[in-house]
Amino acid sequence: MNAGTGLELILNAAEGALQIVVTEDETLLCAQEWRRPERATEILAPALREICTALGLRLADFRRLACVRGPGSFTGIRLVLATAAALRRTCPLRLAGLDYMQALAATLATARGVLYGAPIWTLTHARRNLVHCQPFRSYGPVIPPQPLQPVELCTPDEAARRIAQSRAHPTPPGTDAARRVWVCGSGLARNPHLAPLLENAPAPEGPAATFLPLTALPDLTSPSVTALRLLARHGDYFDRDPEPLYVRPCDAVENLPGLAPRLGLNPAAAVAALKEKLDRAPQSEI
């Protein structure tokens, strides 16, 4: 029995970049990154075709497909998951959904050799004055960091408050001398006041807690190939489509009452019709 992973495809378009990775039995064959989010829909299918041609492969040769399911760009998430769903219906492969926030945390852990037990916070831009926020615990550079809480939507200042609280570690001084708090993601890059605010936060008063040092990495805004491969290696693969991880509400849904009159629709009726469609159970697998 072949215990290898076989040919594996990894796709990510959750934020800013379209990433395509191909491995065979954990050996890297190809990695591409396209920083044209507005054209990702046009790029993905031709890029897959060219990759397969260059490597002498068919899409039917892939055994596993790991796709980043969010949170992030609605368009990017839908593009990747729809492509994965189509491939599952035409190729004998199994799918795994990867979490974008965990991919960023794994990127930091592998790049910086973060020690076991260190807290890693990922903050990504959701929309103006809102970030996706999630804490992780590092398990070293070869095991994916594990989430301590589900990803949440909050303001940048609320995220900073939560991170500051996590720096107060209730253990005697000296036991965690090598530990520090790490923060990364586009939520830092899009809110430039956060990094200095976090790094220069005053220690809380009182001797009960060790105030862990903090390093903010606002330039770390995309998963590395190493991190994507690590998560794919540890992913759970099934013969079904992964569910998208949408955290923030869709702008079009929230703006529907204002958009409906421009289309000649009654706002209340449009909202009710949309709710009925969103709550309706699917009638087929497609």
Side-chain angles (χ1 to χ4, degrees):
M1 179 178 176
N2 183 7
T5 60
L7 278 167
E8 180 177 68
L9 177 63
I10 308 170
L11 299 176
N12 170 47
E15 187 183 42
L18 169 62
Q19 295 173 292
I20 307 171
V21 180
V22 177
T23 68
E24 183 172 19
D25 294 332
E26 300 188 8
T27 298
L28 180 65
L29 300 184
C30 175
Q32 290 189 4
E33 181 171 306
W34 300 78
R35 290 197 167 271
R36 297 294 302 273
E38 77 285 357
R39 293 193 58 201
T41 303
E42 305 169 33
I43 291 171
L44 179 54
L48 286 176
R49 182 175 61 246
E50 292 181 8
I51 288 171
C52 287
T53 300
L55 295 176
L57 302 174
R58 302 170 304 153
L59 288 173
D61 294 331
F62 286 96
R63 288 174 52 186
R64 310 201 311 182
L65 196 168
C67 43
V68 176
R69 65 190 190 103
S73 160
F74 288 166
T75 301
I77 294 169
R78 286 194 299 267
L79 169 64
V80 164
L81 294 187
T83 301
L87 291 175
R88 186 179 72 81
R89 286 158 177 78
T90 56
C91 306
L93 49 71
R94 292 160 64 85
L95 305 185
L98 309 182
D99 286 3
Y100 185 69
M101 307 293 277
Q102 188 179 32
L104 287 175
T107 299
L108 196 158
T110 55
R112 293 300 184 103
V114 178
L115 299 177
Y116 171 82
I120 299 175
W121 287 80
T122 53
L123 303 180
T124 63
H125 175 74
R127 61 185 181 192
R128 184 176 181 180
N129 202 38
L130 281 178
V131 295
H132 302 111
C133 175
Q134 190 171 24
F136 293 84
R137 175 178 288 118
S138 172
Y139 277 73
V142 296
I143 299 176
Q146 295 303 302
L148 299 176
Q149 298 172 11
V151 59
E152 293 185 295
L153 199 64
C154 64
T155 67
D157 289 342
E158 171 61 18
R161 185 189 66 80
R162 297 180 188 183
I163 295 169
Q165 288 181 337
S166 74
R167 296 181 66 183
H169 193 63
T171 53
T175 59
D176 289 290
R179 285 183 54 186
R180 66 176 52 241
V181 175
W182 299 84
V183 191
C184 67
S186 62
L188 289 178
R190 296 288 291 268
N191 298 278
H193 72 285
L194 281 186
L197 178 67
L198 290 168
E199 292 179 330
N200 299 322
E205 296 182 359
T210 301
F211 196 56
L212 298 179
L214 180 143
T215 298
L217 301 174
D219 293 333
L220 198 165
T221 57
S222 292
S224 67
V225 171
T226 299
L228 291 173
R229 292 174 62 195
L230 177 64
L231 264 62
R233 187 184 314 143
H234 289 267
D236 295 321
Y237 291 82
F238 302 99
D239 294 318
R240 62 175 184 266
D241 300 338
E243 290 293 326
L245 179 59
Y246 298 135
V247 177
R248 71 173 179 86
C250 176
D251 292 339
V253 172
E254 288 197 338
N255 296 336
L256 183 57
L259 295 173
R262 304 180 195 176
L263 302 174
L265 302 174
N266 177 276
V271 170
L274 177 62
K275 184 178 186 307
E276 190 273 331
K277 292 180 185 297
L278 292 176
D279 292 342
R280 184 188 303 167
Q283 301 302 310
S284 72
E285 190 185 19
I286 301 299

PDB file of all heavy atoms in Angstrom, residues 104-123:
ATOM      1  N   LEU A 104      -1.249  32.063   8.204  1.00  0.00           N
ATOM      2  CA  LEU A 104      -0.377  33.190   8.554  1.00  0.00           C
ATOM      3  C   LEU A 104       0.419  32.886   9.817  1.00  0.00           C
ATOM      4  O   LEU A 104       1.619  33.176   9.896  1.00  0.00           O
ATOM      5  CB  LEU A 104      -1.215  34.450   8.748  1.00  0.00           C
ATOM      6  CG  LEU A 104      -1.791  35.099   7.492  1.00  0.00           C
ATOM      7  CD1 LEU A 104      -2.698  36.264   7.874  1.00  0.00           C
ATOM      8  CD2 LEU A 104      -0.687  35.572   6.548  1.00  0.00           C
ATOM      9  N   ALA A 105      -0.254  32.314  10.825  1.00  0.00           N
ATOM     10  CA  ALA A 105       0.439  31.963  12.065  1.00  0.00           C
ATOM     11  C   ALA A 105       1.537  30.937  11.796  1.00  0.00           C
ATOM     12  O   ALA A 105       2.638  31.012  12.371  1.00  0.00           O
ATOM     13  CB  ALA A 105      -0.563  31.433  13.092  1.00  0.00           C
ATOM     14  N   ALA A 106       1.262  29.972  10.923  1.00  0.00           N
ATOM     15  CA  ALA A 106       2.265  28.967  10.589  1.00  0.00           C
ATOM     16  C   ALA A 106       3.432  29.583   9.820  1.00  0.00           C
ATOM     17  O   ALA A 106       4.585  29.165   9.979  1.00  0.00           O
ATOM     18  CB  ALA A 106       1.622  27.850   9.763  1.00  0.00           C
ATOM     19  N   THR A 107       3.135  30.577   8.993  1.00  0.00           N
ATOM     20  CA  THR A 107       4.198  31.283   8.272  1.00  0.00           C
ATOM     21  C   THR A 107       5.154  31.940   9.253  1.00  0.00           C
ATOM     22  O   THR A 107       6.387  31.850   9.116  1.00  0.00           O
ATOM     23  CB  THR A 107       3.587  32.339   7.338  1.00  0.00           C
ATOM     24  OG1 THR A 107       2.751  31.691   6.389  1.00  0.00           O
ATOM     25  CG2 THR A 107       4.661  33.120   6.610  1.00  0.00           C
ATOM     26  N   LEU A 108       4.600  32.607  10.261  1.00  0.00           N
ATOM     27  CA  LEU A 108       5.427  33.262  11.267  1.00  0.00           C
ATOM     28  C   LEU A 108       6.236  32.229  12.053  1.00  0.00           C
ATOM     29  O   LEU A 108       7.441  32.390  12.272  1.00  0.00           O
ATOM     30  CB  LEU A 108       4.546  34.079  12.202  1.00  0.00           C
ATOM     31  CG  LEU A 108       5.229  35.133  13.080  1.00  0.00           C
ATOM     32  CD1 LEU A 108       4.228  36.194  13.526  1.00  0.00           C
ATOM     33  CD2 LEU A 108       5.871  34.502  14.311  1.00  0.00           C
ATOM     34  N   ALA A 109       5.566  31.149  12.469  1.00  0.00           N
ATOM     35  CA  ALA A 109       6.236  30.144  13.298  1.00  0.00           C
ATOM     36  C   ALA A 109       7.382  29.474  12.565  1.00  0.00           C
ATOM     37  O   ALA A 109       8.465  29.257  13.132  1.00  0.00           O
ATOM     38  CB  ALA A 109       5.221  29.097  13.769  1.00  0.00           C
ATOM     39  N   THR A 110       7.178  29.158  11.280  1.00  0.00           N
ATOM     40  CA  THR A 110       8.238  28.481  10.533  1.00  0.00           C
ATOM     41  C   THR A 110       9.361  29.427  10.156  1.00  0.00           C
ATOM     42  O   THR A 110      10.534  29.060  10.172  1.00  0.00           O
ATOM     43  CB  THR A 110       7.657  27.826   9.261  1.00  0.00           C
ATOM     44  OG1 THR A 110       6.967  28.818   8.479  1.00  0.00           O
ATOM     45  CG2 THR A 110       6.685  26.714   9.615  1.00  0.00           C
ATOM     46  N   ALA A 111       9.010  30.676   9.827  1.00  0.00           N
ATOM     47  CA  ALA A 111      10.043  31.635   9.406  1.00  0.00           C
ATOM     48  C   ALA A 111      10.912  32.088  10.563  1.00  0.00           C
ATOM     49  O   ALA A 111      12.116  32.324  10.384  1.00  0.00           O
ATOM     50  CB  ALA A 111       9.383  32.837   8.735  1.00  0.00           C
ATOM     51  N   ARG A 112      10.318  32.237  11.734  1.00  0.00           N
ATOM     52  CA  ARG A 112      11.055  32.759  12.891  1.00  0.00           C
ATOM     53  C   ARG A 112      11.453  31.675  13.887  1.00  0.00           C
ATOM     54  O   ARG A 112      12.038  32.000  14.924  1.00  0.00           O
ATOM     55  CB  ARG A 112      10.209  33.823  13.601  1.00  0.00           C
ATOM     56  CG  ARG A 112       9.978  35.094  12.785  1.00  0.00           C
ATOM     57  CD  ARG A 112      11.301  35.767  12.426  1.00  0.00           C
ATOM     58  NE  ARG A 112      11.136  37.023  11.741  1.00  0.00           N
ATOM     59  CZ  ARG A 112      11.286  38.226  12.326  1.00  0.00           C
ATOM     60  NH1 ARG A 112      11.596  38.300  13.608  1.00  0.00           N
ATOM     61  NH2 ARG A 112      11.124  39.320  11.629  1.00  0.00           N
ATOM     62  N   GLY A 113      11.141  30.424  13.608  1.00  0.00           N
ATOM     63  CA  GLY A 113      11.482  29.356  14.551  1.00  0.00           C
ATOM     64  C   GLY A 113      10.850  29.576  15.913  1.00  0.00           C
ATOM     65  O   GLY A 113      11.506  29.395  16.948  1.00  0.00           O
ATOM     66  N   VAL A 114       9.588  29.957  15.928  1.00  0.00           N
ATOM     67  CA  VAL A 114       8.913  30.296  17.186  1.00  0.00           C
ATOM     68  C   VAL A 114       8.814  29.060  18.075  1.00  0.00           C
ATOM     69  O   VAL A 114       8.440  27.974  17.621  1.00  0.00           O
ATOM     70  CB  VAL A 114       7.510  30.870  16.899  1.00  0.00           C
ATOM     71  CG1 VAL A 114       6.784  31.179  18.198  1.00  0.00           C
ATOM     72  CG2 VAL A 114       7.639  32.138  16.058  1.00  0.00           C
ATOM     73  N   LEU A 115       9.138  29.239  19.346  1.00  0.00           N
ATOM     74  CA  LEU A 115       9.205  28.122  20.283  1.00  0.00           C
ATOM     75  C   LEU A 115       7.820  27.648  20.695  1.00  0.00           C
ATOM     76  O   LEU A 115       6.823  28.360  20.583  1.00  0.00           O
ATOM     77  CB  LEU A 115       9.998  28.525  21.526  1.00  0.00           C
ATOM     78  CG  LEU A 115      11.457  28.922  21.288  1.00  0.00           C
ATOM     79  CD1 LEU A 115      12.094  29.375  22.590  1.00  0.00           C
ATOM     80  CD2 LEU A 115      12.245  27.764  20.679  1.00  0.00           C
ATOM     81  N   TYR A 116       7.794  26.420  21.217  1.00  0.00           N
ATOM     82  CA  TYR A 116       6.545  25.840  21.715  1.00  0.00           C
ATOM     83  C   TYR A 116       5.953  26.717  22.822  1.00  0.00           C
ATOM     84  O   TYR A 116       6.663  27.168  23.720  1.00  0.00           O
ATOM     85  CB  TYR A 116       6.805  24.438  22.268  1.00  0.00           C
ATOM     86  CG  TYR A 116       5.615  23.853  22.999  1.00  0.00           C
ATOM     87  CD1 TYR A 116       4.586  23.249  22.299  1.00  0.00           C
ATOM     88  CD2 TYR A 116       5.523  23.942  24.386  1.00  0.00           C
ATOM     89  CE1 TYR A 116       3.482  22.734  22.960  1.00  0.00           C
ATOM     90  CE2 TYR A 116       4.421  23.427  25.061  1.00  0.00           C
ATOM     91  CZ  TYR A 116       3.408  22.826  24.333  1.00  0.00           C
ATOM     92  OH  TYR A 116       2.318  22.324  24.993  1.00  0.00           O
ATOM     93  N   GLY A 117       4.668  26.948  22.747  1.00  0.00           N
ATOM     94  CA  GLY A 117       3.959  27.675  23.793  1.00  0.00           C
ATOM     95  C   GLY A 117       3.831  29.156  23.573  1.00  0.00           C
ATOM     96  O   GLY A 117       3.044  29.815  24.254  1.00  0.00           O
ATOM     97  N   ALA A 118       4.574  29.705  22.622  1.00  0.00           N
ATOM     98  CA  ALA A 118       4.517  31.157  22.411  1.00  0.00           C
ATOM     99  C   ALA A 118       3.187  31.554  21.770  1.00  0.00           C
ATOM    100  O   ALA A 118       2.692  30.876  20.875  1.00  0.00           O
ATOM    101  CB  ALA A 118       5.673  31.614  21.532  1.00  0.00           C
ATOM    102  N   PRO A 119       2.596  32.670  22.220  1.00  0.00           N
ATOM    103  CA  PRO A 119       1.349  33.143  21.596  1.00  0.00           C
ATOM    104  C   PRO A 119       1.627  33.829  20.264  1.00  0.00           C
ATOM    105  O   PRO A 119       2.572  34.597  20.129  1.00  0.00           O
ATOM    106  CB  PRO A 119       0.801  34.158  22.625  1.00  0.00           C
ATOM    107  CG  PRO A 119       1.659  34.010  23.856  1.00  0.00           C
ATOM    108  CD  PRO A 119       2.967  33.470  23.391  1.00  0.00           C
ATOM    109  N   ILE A 120       0.785  33.521  19.272  1.00  0.00           N
ATOM    110  CA  ILE A 120       0.833  34.176  17.967  1.00  0.00           C
ATOM    111  C   ILE A 120      -0.559  34.721  17.674  1.00  0.00           C
ATOM    112  O   ILE A 120      -1.544  33.978  17.712  1.00  0.00           O
ATOM    113  CB  ILE A 120       1.247  33.206  16.849  1.00  0.00           C
ATOM    114  CG1 ILE A 120       2.645  32.649  17.104  1.00  0.00           C
ATOM    115  CG2 ILE A 120       1.194  33.898  15.490  1.00  0.00           C
ATOM    116  CD1 ILE A 120       3.070  31.594  16.086  1.00  0.00           C
ATOM    117  N   TRP A 121      -0.654  36.025  17.395  1.00  0.00           N
ATOM    118  CA  TRP A 121      -1.918  36.647  17.020  1.00  0.00           C
ATOM    119  C   TRP A 121      -1.885  36.985  15.541  1.00  0.00           C
ATOM    120  O   TRP A 121      -0.900  37.542  15.047  1.00  0.00           O
ATOM    121  CB  TRP A 121      -2.143  37.930  17.821  1.00  0.00           C
ATOM    122  CG  TRP A 121      -2.490  37.704  19.261  1.00  0.00           C
ATOM    123  CD1 TRP A 121      -1.623  37.426  20.278  1.00  0.00           C
ATOM    124  CD2 TRP A 121      -3.791  37.754  19.841  1.00  0.00           C
ATOM    125  NE1 TRP A 121      -2.302  37.290  21.454  1.00  0.00           N
ATOM    126  CE2 TRP A 121      -3.640  37.487  21.222  1.00  0.00           C
ATOM    127  CE3 TRP A 121      -5.070  37.999  19.340  1.00  0.00           C
ATOM    128  CZ2 TRP A 121      -4.722  37.466  22.100  1.00  0.00           C
ATOM    129  CZ3 TRP A 121      -6.154  37.976  20.202  1.00  0.00           C
ATOM    130  CH2 TRP A 121      -5.977  37.704  21.566  1.00  0.00           C
ATOM    131  N   THR A 122      -2.951  36.649  14.840  1.00  0.00           N
ATOM    132  CA  THR A 122      -3.078  37.055  13.447  1.00  0.00           C
ATOM    133  C   THR A 122      -4.227  38.049  13.334  1.00  0.00           C
ATOM    134  O   THR A 122      -5.331  37.803  13.830  1.00  0.00           O
ATOM    135  CB  THR A 122      -3.318  35.856  12.518  1.00  0.00           C
ATOM    136  OG1 THR A 122      -4.426  35.099  13.002  1.00  0.00           O
ATOM    137  CG2 THR A 122      -2.098  34.968  12.470  1.00  0.00           C
ATOM    138  N   LEU A 123      -3.940  39.169  12.685  1.00  0.00           N
ATOM    139  CA  LEU A 123      -4.929  40.216  12.434  1.00  0.00           C
ATOM    140  C   LEU A 123      -4.961  40.471  10.935  1.00  0.00           C
ATOM    141  O   LEU A 123      -3.933  40.795  10.348  1.00  0.00           O
ATOM    142  CB  LEU A 123      -4.563  41.523  13.151  1.00  0.00           C
ATOM    143  CG  LEU A 123      -4.364  41.499  14.659  1.00  0.00           C
ATOM    144  CD1 LEU A 123      -3.999  42.899  15.141  1.00  0.00           C
ATOM    145  CD2 LEU A 123      -5.607  41.013  15.353  1.00  0.00           C
TER     146      LEU A 123
END
